[in-house]
Amino acid sequence: MKKITFILIVLLVISCKNELGKQSKKPVKSTTLNLKYAKGFSIKDYGTYKVLEIKRPWPQSEKEYRFALLKDNSDVAFWDSKKNRFDNIIHLPIRKIVVTSTTHIPALELLNEAQTLIGFPGIDFISSKKVRQLIHKKKIRELGKNDGLNTEILLELNPDLVVGFGIDGNNRSLETIKKSGIPVVFNGDWVENSPLAKAEWIKFFGALFNKEKEADSIFNHIEKNYMDAKLLAQNVKTKPSILSGAMHSDIWYLPNGTSTEAQLLKDANVNYLWSDTKGSGSLKLNFESVLVKAKDADIWLNPSNYSSLESLKNANENHTIFKAFQNKNIYTFTNTTGATGGVLYYELGMTRPDMVLKDLIKICHPEVLKNYKPYFFKPLE
């Protein structure tokens, strides 16, 4: 009888183990973060953790990165045994962060997480008034340059995460940081091919701070503003012709027709004279070809980094041949700067394409937005 009882107990234990095995193999349901435009990242939420994938950290990247984002109640011991499945494990919410591009600053501010920023390379380039106050209070440390971070200070700060960016993935400073155990995530917002896709990367930061709903609400507001402005521009009767860029060393650099800059001009319903071109990066043209096509262009936008008509003339006398120069119909964002000289457009423009689009519409179709004052763009004087 004892033998039969023992056999029954053994069978019961085996049965339970098998049942537990089946349960452990049962896939955990996940919800995928809704992305309408951005293609460079994805996030799946499994309840106690999230999986972040960076699909295109830089142009021509052949590597994708996967990160496990653990929430506070996650089993750390379990995840330590799963490290080989991910490039790194990040504990949420982020309480101390280092970012490396001014384009990352607006997301922190909009999500009310600016106080988590503890280090940045080139703090004089930051224009945000709220972040400048933190810098003034010495809450944010200077870290040198993006391609040569002061790793000694950064390691001393010991952030929960470093958000980097790279043009090819060869950044020795970031590699040193990763080897120290501090997670590094490459942000590929700048690689996206549309203004709203770039702006949607605020949801990337929303996931890092467990603020997905807030990020979604902010983006929906930006998208609505953008689409409303675009719709208004479609009703105009005239489309001014647009020249862009300027010469450097006898080469004229200007946006190609598939760039985000050209997309903004298209949505502003103007005649960008190089809208039919394609490619990656800027167009590089000789002066003669630009003169033939754009000598009589109505408006000249973004004449490189020239901050005055005089500097544009002194750089190359041929700039003065264009009708837009003679009519002083040139607009630039270069002169809209923060307290320490950082160009505000480079910081905020990617996150707020709705404001950029409204600026362009006001300049090109002043009758459409009668009471609007351009935020970034000013006439070149």
Side-chain angles (χ1 to χ4, degrees):
M1 184 68 181
K2 289 182 179 180
K3 187 174 181 180
I4 294 173
T5 303
F6 174 76
I7 293 172
L8 288 173
I9 292 172
V10 171
L11 290 173
L12 180 62
V13 170
I14 293 171
S15 176
C16 289
K17 284 185 176 181
N18 288 337
E19 190 61 35
L20 286 171
K22 290 177 182 178
Q23 290 177 4
S24 65
K25 293 178 182 178
K26 186 178 180 181
V28 180
K29 289 185 178 180
S30 66
T31 57
T32 301
L33 181 72
N34 179 42
L35 295 171
K36 294 180 67 175
Y37 306 93
K39 306 293 184 185
F41 77 103
S42 68
I43 295 174
K44 289 186 177 181
D45 193 327
Y46 291 86
T48 58
Y49 68 97
K50 308 168 195 173
V51 174
L52 164 66
E53 290 190 358
I54 303 297
K55 300 178 179 180
R56 198 176 175 215
W58 51 79
Q60 286 82 52
S61 172
E62 296 180 356
K63 178 172 173 55
E64 295 184 359
Y65 295 84
R66 296 180 78 244
F67 300 89
L69 311 182
L70 272 61
K71 300 181 182 179
D72 282 339
N73 61 347
S74 297
D75 188 336
V76 177
F78 168 75
W79 280 103
D80 283 345
S81 67
K82 299 290 184 181
K83 279 186 177 180
N84 61 338
R85 294 175 51 193
F86 300 96
D87 290 278
N88 217 320
I89 293 173
I90 301 167
H91 298 272
L92 303 184
I94 299 300
R95 293 181 173 86
K96 296 191 301 178
I97 195 169
V98 165
V99 300
T100 54
S101 170
T102 55
T103 61
H104 305 156
I105 301 292
L108 299 180
E109 188 170 343
L110 288 168
L111 291 167
N112 292 317
E113 294 291 347
Q115 75 284 353
T116 64
L117 182 63
I118 59 172
F120 185 85
I123 56 178
D124 283 348
F125 290 109
I126 297 176
S127 299
S128 162
K129 292 181 180 179
K130 183 179 290 186
V131 177
R132 292 231 60 87
Q133 288 177 356
L134 294 171
I135 293 170
H136 181 70
K137 294 176 182 177
K138 302 188 184 303
K139 301 287 187 180
I140 301 171
R141 298 282 298 275
E142 173 62 72
L143 295 176
K145 297 181 180 180
N146 179 61
D147 57 354
L149 293 171
N150 188 322
T151 52
E152 184 177 344
I153 293 177
L154 198 150
L155 294 175
E156 177 189 330
L157 291 172
N158 192 30
D160 300 319
L161 176 67
V162 174
V163 177
F165 76 94
I167 57 173
D168 55 12
N170 295 319
N171 187 314
R172 292 182 180 179
S173 301
L174 293 179
E175 288 301 317
T176 299
I177 295 161
K178 282 196 285 185
K179 289 176 182 177
S180 75
I182 297 173
V184 175
V185 176
F186 286 101
N187 182 302
D189 53 5
W190 64 283
V191 188
E192 298 284 354
N193 58 10
S194 79
L196 288 174
K198 291 181 177 182
E200 199 168 19
W201 275 74
I202 191 172
K203 296 180 182 180
F204 160 85
F205 286 98
L208 295 177
F209 292 100
N210 289 331
K211 289 188 172 182
E212 286 89 347
K213 289 183 179 179
E214 291 91 331
D216 191 59
S217 177
I218 292 166
F219 177 74
N220 287 342
H221 174 73
I222 293 170
E223 180 193 28
K224 185 179 185 304
N225 283 350
Y226 188 99
M227 300 307 289
D228 286 349
K230 177 181 176 180
L231 185 61
L232 284 174
Q234 301 314 300
N235 298 321
V236 299
K237 295 180 180 179
T238 59
K239 297 170 63 173
S241 53
I242 304 296
L243 166 65
S244 185
M247 273 193 296
H248 289 280
S249 302
D250 299 323
I251 298 175
W252 197 297
Y253 296 88
L254 66 166
N256 69 67
T258 56
S259 65
T260 52
E261 293 86 355
Q263 181 66 55
L264 282 159
L265 292 173
K266 179 181 178 181
D267 291 343
N269 201 14
V270 300
N271 176 25
Y272 176 49
L273 297 172
W274 283 269
S275 62
D276 59 344
T277 60
K278 296 181 180 180
S280 59
S282 299
L283 295 173
K284 301 174 184 178
L285 307 176
N286 59 46
F287 171 75
E288 289 74 17
S289 64
V290 175
L291 182 66
V292 168
K293 183 171 279 192
K295 182 178 183 297
D296 295 320
D298 298 308
I299 298 172
W300 187 347
L301 296 173
N302 302 327
S304 190
N305 59 348
Y306 297 112
S307 58
S308 68
L309 292 169
E310 184 179 4
S311 64
L312 190 60
K313 176 183 177 180
N314 291 341
N316 196 308
E317 190 76 25
N318 287 329
H319 285 143
T320 65
I321 299 174
F322 295 88
K323 186 178 79 171
F325 184 98
Q326 296 164 6
N327 292 342
K328 297 183 179 180
N329 213 4
I330 306 176
Y331 296 84
T332 182
F333 53 70
T334 300
N335 295 329
T336 304
T337 61
T340 51
V343 178
L344 191 57
Y345 180 91
Y346 293 137
E347 178 172 312
L348 186 58
M350 189 180 296
T351 302
R352 296 302 305 271
D354 55 326
M355 295 167 65
V356 178
L357 181 59
K358 285 184 177 181
D359 277 17
L360 295 174
I361 292 172
K362 179 63 178 180
I363 291 167
C364 300
H365 311 294
E367 74 283 359
V368 174
L369 296 171
K370 293 181 180 179
N371 299 319
Y372 180 78
K373 183 179 180 181
Y375 189 82
F376 300 107
F377 287 84
K378 296 176 181 177
L380 202 65
E381 297 177 348

